[in-house]
């Protein structure tokens, strides 16, 4: 199973760096997030022509030992909002291969500051 989420908010600031740092602080608070042994690799990247941060997060749920992997991208939009896209799954070789494909497809489809209607 995969969790795919897109969020647009101002909770942790208006830049990709501030938003990702705030989100990581929350993840590292196991009492709040239920995530344990969080290890992060951060990459600078581009998303929709803008500077962005891509995070690879290895962890496990607090009361489980099975490893998990979360891929996230943070990109700043207009009016102080930051977009966060994530794909999370169990860290098995089959799941990780599919996760990479899902994340790439989701990033291609991610629209920043586009209104509908």
């Amino acid at each position: 199973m995969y969790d795919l989420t897109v969020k647009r908010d101002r909770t942790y600031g208006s830049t990709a760096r501030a938003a990702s740092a705030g989100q990581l602080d929350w993840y590292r608070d196991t009492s709040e997030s239920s995530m344990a042994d969080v290890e992060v690799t951060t990459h600078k990247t581009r998303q929709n022509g803008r500077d962005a941060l891509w995070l690879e997060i290895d962890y496990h749920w607090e009361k489980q030992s099975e490893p998990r992997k979360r891929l996230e991208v943070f990109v700043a939009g207009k009016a102080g909002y930051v977009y966060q896209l994530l794909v999370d799954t169990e860290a098995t070789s089959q799941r990780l291969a599919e996760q990479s494909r899902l994340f790439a497809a989701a990033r291609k489809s991610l629209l920043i500051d586009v209104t509908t209607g």
Side-chain angles (χ1 to χ4, degrees):
M1 181 165 109
Y2 301 91
D3 292 318
L4 174 66
T5 304
V6 177
K7 179 171 79 171
R8 174 182 169 257
D9 73 14
R10 302 181 216 188
T11 302
Y12 299 116
S14 62
T15 67
R17 183 170 304 287
S20 63
Q23 189 68 60
L24 287 172
D25 285 346
W26 188 82
Y27 290 159
R28 287 184 172 118
D29 183 349
T30 303
S31 66
E32 288 290 322
S33 70
S34 298
M35 296 169 74
D37 298 325
V38 174
E39 294 182 23
V40 181
T41 303
T42 303
H43 312 274
K44 290 181 181 179
T45 189
R46 302 283 291 168
Q47 180 69 40
N48 301 87
R50 300 173 188 199
D51 290 337
L53 288 177
W54 167 30
L55 280 58
E56 296 181 62
I57 304 167
D58 295 292
Y59 74 101
H60 62 88
W61 292 121
E62 180 180 21
K63 296 183 182 186
Q64 299 174 3
S65 61
E66 295 82 15
R68 297 191 63 85
K69 180 83 157 193
R70 183 171 287 197
L71 301 178
E72 300 193 26
V73 67
F74 290 83
V75 60
K78 292 180 182 173
Y81 285 98
V82 175
Y83 291 75
Q84 175 189 5
L85 166 71
L86 74 85
V87 180
D88 186 300
T89 194
E90 300 145 355
T92 65
S93 57
Q94 179 181 354
R95 294 278 186 191
L96 294 175
E98 182 62 20
Q99 180 188 41
S100 292
R101 287 190 291 276
L102 285 171
F103 188 65
R107 284 191 64 188
K108 285 181 185 175
S109 300
L110 181 62
L111 301 175
I112 306 299
D113 295 330
V114 174
T115 57
T116 58

